[in-house]
Amino acid sequence: MSEFRIDHQDLEQFVEKVFVEAGLSEEDARVEAEVLVWANLRGIDSHGVLRIPSYLDSIESGAMNIRPNIQVLKETPAVLFVDADRAMGPVVTTDIMNRVIAKAKSVGIGWGLLRKNTHQGAMGYYSEMAAKEGLAGIAIVCSPPNMAPFGARAAGLHNSPIAISVPAGKRPPVTLDMATSVAAGGKLTLAADKGIPLGDDWALDESGNPTTDPEAAKVLVAAGGPKGSGLAFMFQCLTSLMAANPLVAPVLQGAKRLHSQNSVVAAVDVSLFTDVSEYGRNVDTLIDCLKDLPTSEGHSEVLYPGEPELRTDKDRRENGIPLPPGTVQKIRDTASRLKIELPQGL
C-alpha cells in the first residue's frame, strides 16, 4: 500500500481554504484546520483530514451550523453551561476551553458543559490546552449509541472518549486520549481508506457477529468489557443527561439518530495544591522510574501515555504526514468539489 507524505503546513492551509469555501469565517476555518491536522500530526488519523467530506456534507445538510446562536445557559465563577446550537465542534470547544481555563486560574477549577455541539475531532487537543497553561485538563464527549454495552450484541452506548492532560517538567504535557471502545469509530473509516482489515475484537456486523471487514462493521466493542462499558455509561450521565439532552435512550426507544454531541471540558489549577515546577519534576520522575522497569516479552521499553503520539508528531513535522490512498482520494474529490488547488504533492 503506497502512501503520500504531505507537509503539515501545506495540508493545514488547504484545510483552512476548504472551510472558508464551505462558508466559515477565516478565523473559524483556521481553528478547524488546526484541530484536524493536529490529530494527523499525532498519528490520530481517524480524527484528522479524512473527516473533511463528512463535515462538508453535514454543513450542507444543516447538521453542522456555521452561523450558530451559541448561548450561555448558566454561569458561575467555576461553571459554564453552553448550548452550542450545533456549532462546528472545534470552534465552540476551543472557545469554551479557553473560558474554562480562565475560570480555573481565577477560582481553582473550571467546568464547562456543552450541549448540542458537533464532532470535535481528537479530544486531547482540548485537554492539552489546559496543560500548556500549567493546569490539569479533562475533556469528555458523548454522542448517540455506536457501541455494544458489555453483554449485548447491539449498540446501546456511545464509545465516549476521554482525554486527560497534565503539565510535565522537561517533557511536553502528558496526554491520555482514549475511547471507551477497543478502537475509535474513525479507525474503521481509516482501515477502509487503507484497504486493510480491522482488528479481531474491534467491531460487530449488523447481526451482532464479530467482523474484521470495515465495510461490514456497524457496532463497536467496549474496551475491557464491563470497564469500558461502565465508563461509557457514567460519561453519559456526566454529559448528555446533565445537559438535559439525552442522546442514547431516545435512539434505543426509536427516535431518529441525529448528529449531535454533548461534552465536558474542565481545568484544575495545579498551583493550588503544589508548586507547578515541582509537580512537573515529579511527573518526569514518575516517567523515568517506569522506564527503568524490566520489560516484558515482546516489549523493548515502557511507554507513558501519549509518548507514541509525541514521537509520531516529531517524525511527521520533519518528514510530512503520510496519507493513505483512500484519504488522498477524499482530498482530491474535495478540491474538485470546491474548485480549490490541491496541496503540493497531491
PDB file of all heavy atoms in Angstrom, residues 159-190:
ATOM      1  N   ASN A 159     -19.212   5.207  22.412  1.00  0.00           N
ATOM      2  CA  ASN A 159     -17.851   4.867  22.852  1.00  0.00           C
ATOM      3  C   ASN A 159     -17.133   6.122  23.353  1.00  0.00           C
ATOM      4  O   ASN A 159     -16.034   6.458  22.927  1.00  0.00           O
ATOM      5  CB  ASN A 159     -17.055   4.218  21.716  1.00  0.00           C
ATOM      6  CG  ASN A 159     -16.743   5.160  20.577  1.00  0.00           C
ATOM      7  OD1 ASN A 159     -17.558   6.021  20.238  1.00  0.00           O
ATOM      8  ND2 ASN A 159     -15.576   5.014  19.977  1.00  0.00           N
ATOM      9  N   SER A 160     -17.764   6.793  24.280  1.00  0.00           N
ATOM     10  CA  SER A 160     -17.371   8.115  24.774  1.00  0.00           C
ATOM     11  C   SER A 160     -15.881   8.238  25.056  1.00  0.00           C
ATOM     12  O   SER A 160     -15.356   7.617  25.978  1.00  0.00           O
ATOM     13  CB  SER A 160     -18.155   8.418  26.042  1.00  0.00           C
ATOM     14  OG  SER A 160     -19.539   8.280  25.803  1.00  0.00           O
ATOM     15  N   PRO A 161     -15.154   9.071  24.281  1.00  0.00           N
ATOM     16  CA  PRO A 161     -13.736   9.289  24.544  1.00  0.00           C
ATOM     17  C   PRO A 161     -13.513  10.197  25.761  1.00  0.00           C
ATOM     18  O   PRO A 161     -14.353  11.041  26.086  1.00  0.00           O
ATOM     19  CB  PRO A 161     -13.227   9.975  23.279  1.00  0.00           C
ATOM     20  CG  PRO A 161     -14.289   9.753  22.249  1.00  0.00           C
ATOM     21  CD  PRO A 161     -15.574   9.678  23.020  1.00  0.00           C
ATOM     22  N   ILE A 162     -12.369  10.004  26.386  1.00  0.00           N
ATOM     23  CA  ILE A 162     -11.932  10.904  27.443  1.00  0.00           C
ATOM     24  C   ILE A 162     -10.464  11.234  27.211  1.00  0.00           C
ATOM     25  O   ILE A 162      -9.675  10.376  26.794  1.00  0.00           O
ATOM     26  CB  ILE A 162     -12.120  10.292  28.849  1.00  0.00           C
ATOM     27  CG1 ILE A 162     -11.623  11.273  29.931  1.00  0.00           C
ATOM     28  CG2 ILE A 162     -11.439   8.933  28.966  1.00  0.00           C
ATOM     29  CD1 ILE A 162     -11.980  10.895  31.340  1.00  0.00           C
ATOM     30  N   ALA A 163     -10.106  12.481  27.444  1.00  0.00           N
ATOM     31  CA  ALA A 163      -8.706  12.916  27.374  1.00  0.00           C
ATOM     32  C   ALA A 163      -8.351  13.606  28.681  1.00  0.00           C
ATOM     33  O   ALA A 163      -9.141  14.393  29.214  1.00  0.00           O
ATOM     34  CB  ALA A 163      -8.488  13.863  26.204  1.00  0.00           C
ATOM     35  N   ILE A 164      -7.185  13.294  29.203  1.00  0.00           N
ATOM     36  CA  ILE A 164      -6.662  13.923  30.420  1.00  0.00           C
ATOM     37  C   ILE A 164      -5.234  14.359  30.136  1.00  0.00           C
ATOM     38  O   ILE A 164      -4.429  13.571  29.631  1.00  0.00           O
ATOM     39  CB  ILE A 164      -6.669  12.955  31.616  1.00  0.00           C
ATOM     40  CG1 ILE A 164      -8.083  12.416  31.860  1.00  0.00           C
ATOM     41  CG2 ILE A 164      -6.134  13.647  32.872  1.00  0.00           C
ATOM     42  CD1 ILE A 164      -8.148  11.311  32.908  1.00  0.00           C
ATOM     43  N   SER A 165      -4.922  15.604  30.443  1.00  0.00           N
ATOM     44  CA  SER A 165      -3.563  16.127  30.219  1.00  0.00           C
ATOM     45  C   SER A 165      -3.050  16.801  31.479  1.00  0.00           C
ATOM     46  O   SER A 165      -3.819  17.442  32.204  1.00  0.00           O
ATOM     47  CB  SER A 165      -3.556  17.145  29.074  1.00  0.00           C
ATOM     48  OG  SER A 165      -3.964  16.571  27.857  1.00  0.00           O
ATOM     49  N   VAL A 166      -1.753  16.643  31.716  1.00  0.00           N
ATOM     50  CA  VAL A 166      -1.105  17.322  32.841  1.00  0.00           C
ATOM     51  C   VAL A 166       0.221  17.906  32.371  1.00  0.00           C
ATOM     52  O   VAL A 166       0.841  17.377  31.440  1.00  0.00           O
ATOM     53  CB  VAL A 166      -0.854  16.364  34.031  1.00  0.00           C
ATOM     54  CG1 VAL A 166      -2.180  15.857  34.609  1.00  0.00           C
ATOM     55  CG2 VAL A 166       0.038  15.194  33.621  1.00  0.00           C
ATOM     56  N   PRO A 167       0.661  18.987  33.016  1.00  0.00           N
ATOM     57  CA  PRO A 167       1.978  19.536  32.649  1.00  0.00           C
ATOM     58  C   PRO A 167       3.092  18.664  33.202  1.00  0.00           C
ATOM     59  O   PRO A 167       2.956  18.050  34.264  1.00  0.00           O
ATOM     60  CB  PRO A 167       1.967  20.917  33.321  1.00  0.00           C
ATOM     61  CG  PRO A 167       1.029  20.769  34.482  1.00  0.00           C
ATOM     62  CD  PRO A 167      -0.020  19.789  34.042  1.00  0.00           C
ATOM     63  N   ALA A 168       4.184  18.582  32.456  1.00  0.00           N
ATOM     64  CA  ALA A 168       5.381  17.883  32.920  1.00  0.00           C
ATOM     65  C   ALA A 168       6.489  18.903  33.128  1.00  0.00           C
ATOM     66  O   ALA A 168       6.249  20.115  33.080  1.00  0.00           O
ATOM     67  CB  ALA A 168       5.778  16.816  31.908  1.00  0.00           C
ATOM     68  N   GLY A 169       7.702  18.425  33.376  1.00  0.00           N
ATOM     69  CA  GLY A 169       8.831  19.321  33.596  1.00  0.00           C
ATOM     70  C   GLY A 169       9.653  19.488  32.333  1.00  0.00           C
ATOM     71  O   GLY A 169       9.450  20.414  31.557  1.00  0.00           O
ATOM     72  N   LYS A 170      10.555  18.553  32.077  1.00  0.00           N
ATOM     73  CA  LYS A 170      11.419  18.637  30.900  1.00  0.00           C
ATOM     74  C   LYS A 170      10.729  18.109  29.646  1.00  0.00           C
ATOM     75  O   LYS A 170      11.244  18.275  28.543  1.00  0.00           O
ATOM     76  CB  LYS A 170      12.711  17.847  31.152  1.00  0.00           C
ATOM     77  CG  LYS A 170      12.490  16.356  31.377  1.00  0.00           C
ATOM     78  CD  LYS A 170      13.788  15.638  31.736  1.00  0.00           C
ATOM     79  CE  LYS A 170      13.535  14.155  31.982  1.00  0.00           C
ATOM     80  NZ  LYS A 170      14.781  13.437  32.385  1.00  0.00           N
ATOM     81  N   ARG A 171       9.601  17.475  29.836  1.00  0.00           N
ATOM     82  CA  ARG A 171       8.856  16.901  28.711  1.00  0.00           C
ATOM     83  C   ARG A 171       7.659  17.780  28.349  1.00  0.00           C
ATOM     84  O   ARG A 171       7.220  18.605  29.146  1.00  0.00           O
ATOM     85  CB  ARG A 171       8.357  15.494  29.071  1.00  0.00           C
ATOM     86  CG  ARG A 171       9.460  14.465  29.281  1.00  0.00           C
ATOM     87  CD  ARG A 171       8.865  13.128  29.692  1.00  0.00           C
ATOM     88  NE  ARG A 171       9.868  12.067  29.690  1.00  0.00           N
ATOM     89  CZ  ARG A 171      10.639  11.757  30.731  1.00  0.00           C
ATOM     90  NH1 ARG A 171      10.512  12.447  31.867  1.00  0.00           N
ATOM     91  NH2 ARG A 171      11.523  10.768  30.652  1.00  0.00           N
ATOM     92  N   PRO A 172       7.094  17.579  27.156  1.00  0.00           N
ATOM     93  CA  PRO A 172       5.833  18.240  26.817  1.00  0.00           C
ATOM     94  C   PRO A 172       4.719  17.720  27.728  1.00  0.00           C
ATOM     95  O   PRO A 172       4.902  16.726  28.445  1.00  0.00           O
ATOM     96  CB  PRO A 172       5.591  17.828  25.361  1.00  0.00           C
ATOM     97  CG  PRO A 172       6.900  17.331  24.866  1.00  0.00           C
ATOM     98  CD  PRO A 172       7.620  16.769  26.040  1.00  0.00           C
ATOM     99  N   PRO A 173       3.551  18.364  27.711  1.00  0.00           N
ATOM    100  CA  PRO A 173       2.437  17.854  28.510  1.00  0.00           C
ATOM    101  C   PRO A 173       2.173  16.377  28.238  1.00  0.00           C
ATOM    102  O   PRO A 173       2.337  15.894  27.112  1.00  0.00           O
ATOM    103  CB  PRO A 173       1.252  18.715  28.054  1.00  0.00           C
ATOM    104  CG  PRO A 173       1.879  19.997  27.621  1.00  0.00           C
ATOM    105  CD  PRO A 173       3.192  19.612  26.992  1.00  0.00           C
ATOM    106  N   VAL A 174       1.780  15.672  29.286  1.00  0.00           N
ATOM    107  CA  VAL A 174       1.452  14.252  29.175  1.00  0.00           C
ATOM    108  C   VAL A 174      -0.049  14.131  28.946  1.00  0.00           C
ATOM    109  O   VAL A 174      -0.850  14.676  29.720  1.00  0.00           O
ATOM    110  CB  VAL A 174       1.867  13.485  30.436  1.00  0.00           C
ATOM    111  CG1 VAL A 174       1.456  12.020  30.333  1.00  0.00           C
ATOM    112  CG2 VAL A 174       3.379  13.603  30.651  1.00  0.00           C
ATOM    113  N   THR A 175      -0.444  13.405  27.887  1.00  0.00           N
ATOM    114  CA  THR A 175      -1.849  13.335  27.498  1.00  0.00           C
ATOM    115  C   THR A 175      -2.295  11.900  27.266  1.00  0.00           C
ATOM    116  O   THR A 175      -1.683  11.170  26.465  1.00  0.00           O
ATOM    117  CB  THR A 175      -2.111  14.149  26.216  1.00  0.00           C
ATOM    118  OG1 THR A 175      -1.844  15.533  26.472  1.00  0.00           O
ATOM    119  CG2 THR A 175      -3.562  14.007  25.761  1.00  0.00           C
ATOM    120  N   LEU A 176      -3.334  11.505  27.966  1.00  0.00           N
ATOM    121  CA  LEU A 176      -4.034  10.263  27.678  1.00  0.00           C
ATOM    122  C   LEU A 176      -5.284  10.623  26.897  1.00  0.00           C
ATOM    123  O   LEU A 176      -6.094  11.430  27.341  1.00  0.00           O
ATOM    124  CB  LEU A 176      -4.436   9.550  28.970  1.00  0.00           C
ATOM    125  CG  LEU A 176      -5.392   8.357  28.804  1.00  0.00           C
ATOM    126  CD1 LEU A 176      -4.671   7.189  28.142  1.00  0.00           C
ATOM    127  CD2 LEU A 176      -5.990   7.940  30.131  1.00  0.00           C
ATOM    128  N   ASP A 177      -5.454  10.056  25.715  1.00  0.00           N
ATOM    129  CA  ASP A 177      -6.612  10.335  24.864  1.00  0.00           C
ATOM    130  C   ASP A 177      -7.123   8.991  24.366  1.00  0.00           C
ATOM    131  O   ASP A 177      -6.479   8.342  23.548  1.00  0.00           O
ATOM    132  CB  ASP A 177      -6.207  11.238  23.699  1.00  0.00           C
ATOM    133  CG  ASP A 177      -7.399  11.719  22.875  1.00  0.00           C
ATOM    134  OD1 ASP A 177      -8.527  11.260  23.124  1.00  0.00           O
ATOM    135  OD2 ASP A 177      -7.192  12.562  21.980  1.00  0.00           O
ATOM    136  N   MET A 178      -8.276   8.556  24.861  1.00  0.00           N
ATOM    137  CA  MET A 178      -8.749   7.210  24.546  1.00  0.00           C
ATOM    138  C   MET A 178     -10.266   7.160  24.452  1.00  0.00           C
ATOM    139  O   MET A 178     -10.977   7.929  25.092  1.00  0.00           O
ATOM    140  CB  MET A 178      -8.301   6.216  25.629  1.00  0.00           C
ATOM    141  CG  MET A 178      -8.720   6.609  27.037  1.00  0.00           C
ATOM    142  SD  MET A 178      -8.496   5.309  28.257  1.00  0.00           S
ATOM    143  CE  MET A 178     -10.056   4.420  28.067  1.00  0.00           C
ATOM    144  N   ALA A 179     -10.741   6.266  23.594  1.00  0.00           N
ATOM    145  CA  ALA A 179     -12.159   5.948  23.545  1.00  0.00           C
ATOM    146  C   ALA A 179     -12.436   4.830  24.542  1.00  0.00           C
ATOM    147  O   ALA A 179     -11.523   4.147  25.019  1.00  0.00           O
ATOM    148  CB  ALA A 179     -12.557   5.520  22.139  1.00  0.00           C
ATOM    149  N   THR A 180     -13.711   4.632  24.861  1.00  0.00           N
ATOM    150  CA  THR A 180     -14.073   3.523  25.741  1.00  0.00           C
ATOM    151  C   THR A 180     -14.326   2.242  24.953  1.00  0.00           C
ATOM    152  O   THR A 180     -14.690   1.219  25.525  1.00  0.00           O
ATOM    153  CB  THR A 180     -15.314   3.883  26.576  1.00  0.00           C
ATOM    154  OG1 THR A 180     -16.353   4.346  25.714  1.00  0.00           O
ATOM    155  CG2 THR A 180     -14.981   4.979  27.584  1.00  0.00           C
ATOM    156  N   SER A 181     -14.127   2.298  23.640  1.00  0.00           N
ATOM    157  CA  SER A 181     -14.187   1.103  22.797  1.00  0.00           C
ATOM    158  C   SER A 181     -12.774   0.599  22.531  1.00  0.00           C
ATOM    159  O   SER A 181     -11.786   1.317  22.765  1.00  0.00           O
ATOM    160  CB  SER A 181     -14.879   1.419  21.471  1.00  0.00           C
ATOM    161  OG  SER A 181     -14.252   2.505  20.831  1.00  0.00           O
ATOM    162  N   VAL A 182     -12.659  -0.627  22.045  1.00  0.00           N
ATOM    163  CA  VAL A 182     -11.347  -1.186  21.716  1.00  0.00           C
ATOM    164  C   VAL A 182     -10.649  -0.298  20.706  1.00  0.00           C
ATOM    165  O   VAL A 182      -9.451  -0.007  20.822  1.00  0.00           O
ATOM    166  CB  VAL A 182     -11.491  -2.625  21.171  1.00  0.00           C
ATOM    167  CG1 VAL A 182     -10.134  -3.159  20.711  1.00  0.00           C
ATOM    168  CG2 VAL A 182     -12.078  -3.542  22.239  1.00  0.00           C
ATOM    169  N   ALA A 183     -11.382   0.158  19.696  1.00  0.00           N
ATOM    170  CA  ALA A 183     -10.852   1.066  18.677  1.00  0.00           C
ATOM    171  C   ALA A 183     -11.860   2.180  18.443  1.00  0.00           C
ATOM    172  O   ALA A 183     -13.078   1.950  18.494  1.00  0.00           O
ATOM    173  CB  ALA A 183     -10.592   0.317  17.375  1.00  0.00           C
ATOM    174  N   ALA A 184     -11.363   3.381  18.221  1.00  0.00           N
ATOM    175  CA  ALA A 184     -12.247   4.506  17.936  1.00  0.00           C
ATOM    176  C   ALA A 184     -13.002   4.275  16.637  1.00  0.00           C
ATOM    177  O   ALA A 184     -12.508   3.609  15.720  1.00  0.00           O
ATOM    178  CB  ALA A 184     -11.432   5.795  17.846  1.00  0.00           C
ATOM    179  N   GLY A 185     -14.203   4.840  16.550  1.00  0.00           N
ATOM    180  CA  GLY A 185     -15.019   4.646  15.361  1.00  0.00           C
ATOM    181  C   GLY A 185     -14.329   5.095  14.086  1.00  0.00           C
ATOM    182  O   GLY A 185     -14.469   4.464  13.025  1.00  0.00           O
ATOM    183  N   GLY A 186     -13.577   6.188  14.172  1.00  0.00           N
ATOM    184  CA  GLY A 186     -12.888   6.687  12.988  1.00  0.00           C
ATOM    185  C   GLY A 186     -11.844   5.729  12.457  1.00  0.00           C
ATOM    186  O   GLY A 186     -11.458   5.802  11.285  1.00  0.00           O
ATOM    187  N   LYS A 187     -11.373   4.799  13.309  1.00  0.00           N
ATOM    188  CA  LYS A 187     -10.368   3.839  12.845  1.00  0.00           C
ATOM    189  C   LYS A 187     -10.976   2.836  11.865  1.00  0.00           C
ATOM    190  O   LYS A 187     -10.252   2.226  11.081  1.00  0.00           O
ATOM    191  CB  LYS A 187      -9.742   3.125  14.037  1.00  0.00           C
ATOM    192  CG  LYS A 187      -8.813   4.028  14.838  1.00  0.00           C
ATOM    193  CD  LYS A 187      -7.983   3.275  15.843  1.00  0.00           C
ATOM    194  CE  LYS A 187      -6.983   4.203  16.526  1.00  0.00           C
ATOM    195  NZ  LYS A 187      -6.135   3.505  17.508  1.00  0.00           N
ATOM    196  N   LEU A 188     -12.296   2.669  11.911  1.00  0.00           N
ATOM    197  CA  LEU A 188     -12.942   1.812  10.925  1.00  0.00           C
ATOM    198  C   LEU A 188     -12.880   2.472   9.551  1.00  0.00           C
ATOM    199  O   LEU A 188     -12.587   1.822   8.542  1.00  0.00           O
ATOM    200  CB  LEU A 188     -14.395   1.548  11.320  1.00  0.00           C
ATOM    201  CG  LEU A 188     -14.656   0.417  12.321  1.00  0.00           C
ATOM    202  CD1 LEU A 188     -13.943   0.662  13.647  1.00  0.00           C
ATOM    203  CD2 LEU A 188     -16.157   0.248  12.564  1.00  0.00           C
ATOM    204  N   THR A 189     -13.143   3.788   9.526  1.00  0.00           N
ATOM    205  CA  THR A 189     -13.045   4.541   8.271  1.00  0.00           C
ATOM    206  C   THR A 189     -11.606   4.550   7.767  1.00  0.00           C
ATOM    207  O   THR A 189     -11.356   4.411   6.558  1.00  0.00           O
ATOM    208  CB  THR A 189     -13.538   5.974   8.472  1.00  0.00           C
ATOM    209  OG1 THR A 189     -14.857   5.950   9.017  1.00  0.00           O
ATOM    210  CG2 THR A 189     -13.546   6.750   7.167  1.00  0.00           C
ATOM    211  N   LEU A 190     -10.665   4.723   8.688  1.00  0.00           N
ATOM    212  CA  LEU A 190      -9.256   4.737   8.301  1.00  0.00           C
ATOM    213  C   LEU A 190      -8.841   3.394   7.710  1.00  0.00           C
ATOM    214  O   LEU A 190      -8.106   3.337   6.712  1.00  0.00           O
ATOM    215  CB  LEU A 190      -8.378   5.077   9.508  1.00  0.00           C
ATOM    216  CG  LEU A 190      -6.874   5.147   9.256  1.00  0.00           C
ATOM    217  CD1 LEU A 190      -6.541   6.252   8.260  1.00  0.00           C
ATOM    218  CD2 LEU A 190      -6.123   5.372  10.570  1.00  0.00           C
TER     219      LEU A 190
END
